[in-house]
């Protein structure tokens, strides 16, 4: 991946990140309030999900891999009595006040990467590509004024480069 040859100074991260304008919104988890059933693992196929303070704030808490979420939910269903689809998934440090009659919450702060890499939407793509290459990232979150705006994956970058070069994405080596 040789950024400087592929991107001039014209491409910005906002041009390559997802979602695009016509796409569905970014699939995020809120740090509390969602249930196991709402935890996006069944309704989407993304490899990971940003965790935010709330839908309204879009303040970033961290990033959770789909794989870890699936394993944790599966384990909890097997071991923890009472964890069901209606159980709350909680990513906060402290447990929320629990409703007496509700199922027990599933506490998953342990699987959150609390310092995911981020770039801003206006970061030039050559710098973002450099970060991916030097740090060996698979994905990076994109913010605007401190709010979560999107996500960019290694594959998004490769596809964009392929479009620019008008070549088959599989023919470009990532090194
Ligand atoms: P990859 O790009 O390696 O296939 P994913 O399966 O996670 O990785 O992502 C597929 C596409 O969806 C990419 O274009 C990516 O930018 C986007 N994407 C990834 N995670 C999310 C998410 N949580 N919400 C919305 N779009 C996402």
């Amino acid at each position: 991946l040789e950024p400087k040859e592929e991107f001039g100074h014209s491409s910005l991260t906002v041009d390559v990140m997802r979602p695009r304008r016509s796409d569905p919104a970014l699939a995020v988890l809120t740090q509390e309030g969602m249930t196991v059933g709402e935890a996006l693992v069944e309704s989407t196929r993304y490899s990971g999900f940003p965790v935010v303070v709330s839908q309204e704030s879009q303040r970033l808490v961290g990033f959770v891999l789909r794989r870890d979420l699936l394993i944790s939910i599966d384990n909890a269903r097997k071991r923890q009595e009472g964890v069901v689809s209606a159980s709350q998934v909680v990513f906060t440090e402290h447990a929320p006040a629990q409703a007496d009659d509700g199922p027990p919450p599933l506490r998953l702060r342990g699987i959150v990467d609390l310092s995911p890499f981020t770039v801003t939407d206006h970061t030039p793509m050559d710098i973002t590509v450099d970060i991916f290459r030097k740090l060996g990232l698979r994905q990076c979150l994109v913010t605007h004024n401190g709010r979560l705006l999107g996500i960019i994956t290694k594959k998004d970058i490769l596809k964009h480069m392929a479009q620019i070069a008008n070549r088959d994405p599989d023919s470009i080596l990532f090194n």
Side-chain angles (χ1 to χ4, degrees):
L1 191 60
E2 285 300 333
K4 284 164 195 79
E5 288 157 25
E6 304 285 348
F7 294 97
H9 286 289
S10 53
S11 284
L12 298 175
T13 300
V14 71
D15 303 323
V16 184
M17 61 158 235
R18 299 297 194 273
R20 324 247 61 170
R21 233 169 262 141
S22 53
D23 288 347
L26 188 67
V28 298
L29 297 164
T30 53
Q31 65 177 352
E32 56 189 332
M34 288 179 107
T35 65
V36 169
E38 291 164 347
L40 302 172
V41 281
E42 276 156 25
S43 56
T44 74
R45 303 239 61 86
Y46 303 123
S47 313
F49 307 98
V51 180
V52 293
V53 171
S54 64
Q55 290 286 359
E56 306 74 56
S57 76
Q58 291 293 310
R59 296 277 162 196
L60 189 62
V61 172
F63 189 76
V64 172
L65 290 175
R66 169 194 197 79
R67 187 182 61 230
D68 294 337
L69 199 56
L70 277 172
I71 292 170
S72 302
I73 290 175
D74 219 40
N75 283 343
R77 281 195 165 129
K78 277 183 200 144
R79 296 202 196 117
Q80 264 170 262
E81 219 179 289
V83 168
V84 292
S85 291
S87 296
Q88 226 198 114
V89 186
V90 180
F91 297 100
T92 52
E93 215 167 334
H94 303 289
Q98 204 198 324
D100 294 337
D101 50 352
L106 178 54
R107 304 196 51 196
L108 294 180
R109 191 173 180 85
I111 62 168
V112 182
D113 173 0
L114 294 169
S115 307
F117 285 98
T118 62
V119 292
T120 69
D121 52 343
H122 284 111
T123 306
M125 266 315 285
D126 57 349
I127 292 177
T128 300
V129 171
D130 232 24
I131 294 171
F132 265 78
R133 203 179 36 167
K134 289 194 172 129
L135 301 177
L137 302 184
R138 288 219 39 199
Q139 73 276 311
C140 184
L141 299 175
V142 184
T143 60
H144 177 82
N145 287 343
R147 283 163 67 93
L148 179 65
L149 188 69
I151 186 168
I152 181 167
T153 68
K154 190 164 112 177
K155 270 197 205 161
D156 292 331
I157 294 177
L158 290 173
K159 278 187 207 153
H160 186 77
M161 288 168 90
Q163 262 172 17
I164 289 175
N166 199 15
R167 276 185 281 160
D168 175 2
D170 293 331
S171 72
I172 297 175
L173 290 177
F174 197 100
N175 52 40

